[in-house]
Amino acid sequence: MPTYNKLVRDRIPEIIAGTDKNYSTRILDQSEFIKELKKKSFEELNEYINTNNHAEALEELADLLEIIYALAESHGASIEKVEELRKQKAKKRGGFKEKIFLIEVEE
């Protein structure tokens, strides 16, 4: 039996059960959950980086967004709060729409 030892989406055990395979899971405590979400964010970001087309990229961005929703909730905030903070930072420092690449700053 392959060992995964990773956070999975809520319906994955149900999907595995539908294939008549045996599996084992456990419920994480809050600190473990945040740790595993952080690890999962790197996994999904790496999958996004390795996409080859827009459709694949959007699929992986959706996975990253799901993790961001879960992280926001695990820190006691809503995605609306995260969006509010994003807007504040964009107003103060800008976004990335102009595609500016900083080369150097003279000291």
Side-chain angles (χ1 to χ4, degrees), residues 79-93:
I79 197 65
E80 291 79 16
K81 176 64 176 174
V82 174
E83 177 63 11
E84 177 186 320
L85 293 168
R86 185 201 66 78
K87 286 179 181 178
Q88 289 173 8
K89 290 183 89 168
K91 184 176 182 180
K92 183 176 180 180
R93 301 179 61 103

Side-chain angles (χ1 to χ4, degrees), residues 30 33-34 37 67-77:
Q30 189 64 12
F33 181 54
I34 292 171
L37 279 169
I67 290 167
I68 291 168
Y69 272 70
L71 281 166
E73 187 176 307
S74 72
H75 290 293

Side-chain angles (χ1 to χ4, degrees), residues 14-101:
E14 174 187 332
I15 292 167
I16 295 169
T19 65
D20 292 328
K21 293 181 180 177
N22 294 320
Y23 64 92
S24 62
T25 62
R26 70 180 183 88
I27 304 302
L28 302 173
D29 68 30
Q30 189 64 12
S31 64
E32 289 175 310
F33 181 54
I34 292 171
K35 179 182 173 188
E36 292 301 319
L37 279 169
K38 289 177 179 181
K39 284 172 50 178
K40 191 74 171 175
S41 70
F42 281 105
E43 176 187 327
E44 296 299 343
L45 181 58
N46 190 50
E47 289 177 9
Y48 167 74
I49 288 167
N50 290 300
T51 60
N52 296 311
N53 58 58
H54 293 305
E56 289 176 2
L58 292 174
E59 285 284 325
E60 297 308 328
L61 287 173
D63 288 342
L64 281 165
L65 191 55
E66 190 68 35
I67 290 167
I68 291 168
Y69 272 70
L71 281 166
E73 187 176 307
S74 72
H75 290 293
S78 66
I79 197 65
E80 291 79 16
K81 176 64 176 174
V82 174
E83 177 63 11
E84 177 186 320
L85 293 168
R86 185 201 66 78
K87 286 179 181 178
Q88 289 173 8
K89 290 183 89 168
K91 184 176 182 180
K92 183 176 180 180
R93 301 179 61 103
F96 296 98
K97 292 180 182 182
E98 296 184 29
K99 305 172 188 170
I100 298 168
F101 185 78

